[in-house]
Each structure stands twice: as C-alpha cells, then as structure tokens.
C-alpha cells in the first residue's frame, strides 16, 4: 500500500485545488455564476455547444438533415467554451440548468422550446423531421436501445478512461486499469453487434450511430486520447469498419468540425451560421 493512501474525511469538502484546467471549473453547486445573455441568430434552431463528442452528435445530425435537402433544419451554432466557464452564464443556464453542452433552443414552433442532453436533442430532431429514427416497431426500439446505451456507456469512456489516461495530473494504475477494462468491454459489445449489422441498430443509419460514433469512432480512428495502441483498437475490426464508413459521410465530415476552436485549421469552425462557414474551412483540407 502506498504511503500516499487517501483516507476520505467524515464529511467531504471542496478543498482540492490544482493547476488542472478541467478540475478547477468544477463545483458542487449548480446554477449561474455570472450574468450574460446568449447570442441569437436568424435561424429557427439556436445551438450552443462545443465540438467535443457530445457536441458533435448534434451538429452531425443537423448536417445530415441538411444533406437530405431539409432546409428547415438550418441552424446557428454558437461556441460555448467550457474551459472559460461559458456554460455557467445566466443565459446558458436558462437553457440547460445542468450547465453541460450541447443545449438547443428550437424557435420553429409557436413557443421556443429548450432542449438539453445530446440524446434528447437527437430524439427531438429525429421526431420533428421524421428522419434517422424508425417510426415504430422493433427497429425503433433497437435504435433507442443503442441511443441510450451510448448515454450510459460513454461517461465511462470519457470521464473515466479519458480523464485518467489523458487528462489527470498524475497517472494512477488503479483507475486507468479499471476504466481501460470497461472501455475495452464496451468496444467488444459494439464489435459483436456490428459483426452482423451494417450500422449499430441494424441496416439503417440512425441517431444511434450519430450518438456513438463521436465517442467510439473517434477513439478507434485515433482522434481521441491517443490511446489506440494502448487499447489495441485495431483488434475491433467491425468497429473499425463502421467507424471508417461513417467517417466518409458528408454529414459526419461537416458536423464534426462545428463549434471546434481547436485542431488543424481545416477542422476549426468555432461558429456556424451558414453552409459556407463549413465550406470555407473544409477547402483547407490537405
């Protein structure tokens, strides 16, 4: 046992501090920390987000809808920089009291509707436009099964494995091993499902693929945590096939760069208000 073994106090108190940017924005208290209204554009959908995996889910959905010629899905996407605590503004908390991206305001009806949690936004848009979600029956249930699988599983990949492997101040064997085990188990679940299915929920591309690809597709393609070798992602051949297949889709290529202020120049679109905002950046691809 290490001499630095942690003994929890009888009552927890928020006394930890470090130079870790992501740790220092956290707080045990919810609610707004400062007053600032959200910007509002001209389109019926106002998205407030960041191009993390959870943010990519929604922008991929919007771009897939637009790729089908559904002009009613035009949207404004404003950057919420979580490293600068934008998610704690009074305007953002008014849309999402949980202070997590993405958050959407749907202004296309008689009254504006606030929608938060990425799966809820995907479901809202799928039902609104009648796309990427079977209307009824086993196919619909299967799609929702995998949509909510992603919601329950991805925190173990991101907040668990990703945090301790890539972002924590100190590399610790126990949490890295624990969450690596779970990440590999999840990849195996996906690999077995994709062995007999073109897409996650069957033979149709659905919102379940859009929910899962930004986490697990990016992981196996080398776009997250630089952990491909460590997790032996090449052994999950069905996941690799599916990830590459989706990577070729126009909607995925366009959606993954929105609200992204980091990365290469050809993949940074901090704000999106028209198709040209993405077009102009993707032209820079090598």
């Amino acid at each position: 046992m290490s001499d630095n073994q942690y003994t929890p106090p009888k009552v927890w108190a928020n006394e930890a501090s470090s130079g870790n940017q992501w740790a220092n924005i956290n707080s045990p208290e919810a609610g707004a920390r400062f007053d600032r209204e959200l910007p509002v554009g001209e389109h019926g959908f106002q998205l407030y987000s960041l191009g993390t995996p959870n943010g990519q889910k929604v922008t991929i959905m919007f771009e897939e809808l637009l790729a089908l010629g559904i002009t009613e899905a035009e949207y404004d996407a404003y950057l919420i920089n979580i490293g600068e605590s934008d998610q704690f503004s009074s305007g953002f908390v008014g849309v999402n009291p949980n202070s997590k991206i993405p958050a959407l305001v749907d202004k296309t009806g008689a009254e504006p509707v606030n929608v938060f949690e990425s799966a809820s936004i995907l479901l809202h848009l799928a039902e609104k436009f009648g796309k990427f979600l079977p209307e009824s029956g086993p196919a619909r249930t299967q799609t929702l099964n995998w949509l909510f699988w992603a919601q329950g599983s991805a925190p173990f990949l991101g907040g668990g494995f990703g945090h301790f492997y890539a972002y924590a101040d100190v590399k610790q064997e126990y949490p890295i091993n624990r969450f690596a085990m779970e990440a590999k188990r999840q990849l195996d679940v996906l690999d077995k499902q994709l062995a007999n299915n073109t897409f996650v929920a069957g033979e149709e591309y659905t919102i379940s693929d859009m929910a899962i690809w930004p986490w697990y597709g990016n992981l196996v393609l080398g776009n997250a945590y630089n952990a491909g070798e460590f997790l032996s992602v090449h052994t999950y051949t069905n996941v690799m096939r599916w990830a590459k297949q989706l990577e070729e889709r126009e909607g995925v290529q366009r959606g993954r760069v929105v609200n992204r202020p980091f990365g290469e120049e050809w993949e940074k679109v901090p704000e999106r208000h028209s198709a040209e905002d993405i077009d102009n950046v993707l032209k820079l691809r090598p």
Side-chain angles (χ1 to χ4, degrees):
M1 183 178 294
S2 170
D3 292 337
N4 296 323
Q5 177 77 10
Y6 172 66
T7 301
K10 289 184 178 180
V11 178
W12 182 86
N14 187 23
E15 298 175 346
S17 64
S18 72
N20 190 301
Q21 176 186 17
W22 307 115
N24 290 337
I25 65 173
N26 294 326
S27 168
E29 298 177 355
R33 300 180 186 175
F34 58 93
D35 289 330
R36 186 170 70 205
E37 293 301 310
L38 292 173
V40 179
E42 64 180 26
H43 298 304
F45 295 100
Q46 301 295 299
L47 179 65
Y48 304 96
S49 192
L50 178 67
T52 63
N54 284 334
Q56 287 180 356
K57 298 176 190 179
V58 176
T59 48
I60 287 172
M61 176 63 164
F62 272 120
E63 293 300 325
E64 291 284 7
L65 290 168
L66 292 170
L68 293 176
I70 301 174
T71 57
E72 295 84 358
E74 275 290 349
Y75 68 106
D76 294 287
Y78 289 96
L79 176 66
I80 299 296
N81 192 327
I82 63 175
E84 297 181 2
S85 298
D86 290 348
Q87 69 274 30
F88 300 112
S89 73
S90 57
F92 190 87
V93 172
V95 178
N96 183 0
N98 196 38
S99 293
K100 302 291 184 181
I101 62 95
L104 177 72
V105 179
D106 180 350
K107 304 192 302 173
T108 62
E111 297 290 337
V113 177
N114 295 337
V115 194
F116 61 89
E117 291 295 330
S118 56
S120 181
I121 298 174
L122 290 176
L123 186 57
H124 178 80
L125 294 174
E127 291 184 330
K128 189 176 192 74
F129 293 107
K131 300 294 182 182
F132 304 116
L133 175 64
E135 292 184 1
S136 61
R140 179 184 177 88
T141 300
Q142 185 78 332
T143 299
L144 294 178
N145 285 342
W146 287 100
L147 174 66
F148 294 115
W149 176 88
Q151 292 301 104
S153 298
F156 291 95
L157 174 60
F161 174 75
H163 174 77
F164 286 104
Y165 183 81
Y167 302 134
D169 294 332
V170 178
K171 298 290 189 289
Q172 300 176 68
E173 182 179 4
Y174 176 77
I176 290 175
N177 281 346
R178 174 179 172 82
F179 289 113
M181 176 88 69
E182 176 61 10
K184 287 180 69 64
R185 189 193 69 81
Q186 292 174 5
L187 286 169
D188 197 43
V189 169
L190 276 179
D191 202 62
K192 287 179 167 63
Q193 174 67 9
L194 288 163
N196 299 308
N197 297 281
T198 302
F199 299 103
V200 172
E203 295 309 301
E204 292 186 23
Y205 177 61
T206 68
I207 55 174
S208 62
D209 296 286
M210 299 178 202
I212 294 170
W213 187 89
W215 284 105
Y216 299 89
N218 274 323
L219 176 69
V220 301
L221 294 173
N223 299 326
Y225 310 133
N226 194 27
E229 182 178 7
F230 181 73
L231 295 175
S232 300
V233 298
H234 67 281
T235 64
Y236 304 101
T237 56
N238 301 307
V239 177
M240 291 291 294
R241 182 269 306 164
W242 165 84
K244 292 176 181 178
Q245 180 181 358
L246 266 61
E247 185 183 34
E248 295 300 314
R249 294 184 66 92
E250 178 185 4
V252 172
Q253 292 177 10
R254 297 176 68 83
R256 68 174 293 272
V257 303
V258 177
N259 291 143
R260 187 180 174 99
F262 47 83
E264 302 294 334
E265 290 302 313
W266 63 266
E267 56 184 359
K268 293 196 292 187
V269 183
E271 288 192 8
R272 186 269 185 208
H273 304 288
S274 69
E276 288 73 22
D277 292 329
I278 301 175
D279 294 341
N280 292 336
V281 168
L282 291 183
K283 289 177 182 176
L284 303 175
R285 281 184 293 190

